[in-house]
Amino acid sequence: MSRYTDQQVLAFGSTPQARVLSVKVNGGSLLVERYDGVDWVEADSITADKVSPYFTQNSRLRFTPAGGAVFDIDETERSN
């Protein structure tokens, strides 16, 4: 798992999988958006430290940390 401090767009394949998403907000927040084929749609806004499963099957997700937030997510078998 990589730790990210800047915006990332990650695409995931058809494997039905809940991946571990770990967020440390450090007083900031993490915005998660899902691409619906036309535009980015807000899927989640995380404002407290969190470690939880995150469902990623057939998803293109954009993660935008702000205000010092950092995150990591299991990227095994990620598509391009």
Side-chain angles (χ1 to χ4, degrees), residues 35-67:
Y35 190 69
D36 68 2
V38 176
D39 206 354
W40 292 100
V41 177
E42 184 175 336
D44 208 350
S45 181
I46 300 168
T47 58
D49 293 355
K50 178 179 184 176
V51 176
S52 65
Y54 212 84
F55 191 69
T56 60
Q57 183 180 18
N58 295 323
S59 295
R60 186 169 179 206
L61 301 172
R62 180 166 66 184
F63 299 89
T64 307

Side-chain angles (χ1 to χ4, degrees), residues 13 18-20 22 30 32 34-35 41 43-44 48 51 57 60 78:
R19 300 165 188 274
V20 174
S22 175
L30 177 69
V32 182
R34 186 176 306 269
Y35 190 69
V41 177
D44 208 350
V51 176
Q57 183 180 18
R60 186 169 179 206
R78 185 170 68 85

Side-chain angles (χ1 to χ4, degrees), residues 2-12 21 30-35 40 59-66 69-73 75 78:
S2 298
R3 181 151 290 217
Y4 296 108
T5 58
D6 57 350
Q7 185 179 75
Q8 298 292 314
V9 175
L10 304 173
F12 299 94
L21 173 65
L30 177 69
L31 175 63
V32 182
E33 297 167 290
R34 186 176 306 269
Y35 190 69
W40 292 100
S59 295
R60 186 169 179 206
L61 301 172
R62 180 166 66 184
F63 299 89
T64 307
V70 296
F71 75 96
D72 56 56
I73 188 166
E75 295 181 60
R78 185 170 68 85

